[in-house]
Amino acid sequence: MSEKTCAACDYPLDDNAIKVTIGNRVVEVCCEECAQKLREAGKEH
């Protein structure tokens, strides 16, 4: 089984992963800082 990693920084995820919706996709990130980066990147498109 492959290990899940943060969609923003590739850090290994644990049980505290944060789910972020970008467009019509849901991705998991390791922290609120990465979640904010992805939310802002998603607004640009």
Side-chain angles (χ1 to χ4, degrees), residues 22 36-45:
I22 305 296
Q36 188 62 32
K37 287 179 189 177
L38 288 183
R39 287 184 192 114
E40 289 180 11
K43 291 178 186 177
E44 295 173 4
H45 295 287

Side-chain angles (χ1 to χ4, degrees), residues 1-44:
M1 186 170 127
S2 64
E3 193 172 331
K4 288 186 176 184
T5 58
C6 176
C9 71
D10 289 332
Y11 188 81
L13 294 175
D14 58 17
D15 293 337
N16 297 320
I18 300 169
K19 292 186 181 194
V20 180
T21 303
I22 305 296
N24 59 352
R25 293 183 61 196
V26 176
V27 296
E28 291 183 314
V29 295
C30 63
C31 64
E32 188 58 42
E33 184 178 334
C34 287
Q36 188 62 32
K37 287 179 189 177
L38 288 183
R39 287 184 192 114
E40 289 180 11
K43 291 178 186 177
E44 295 173 4

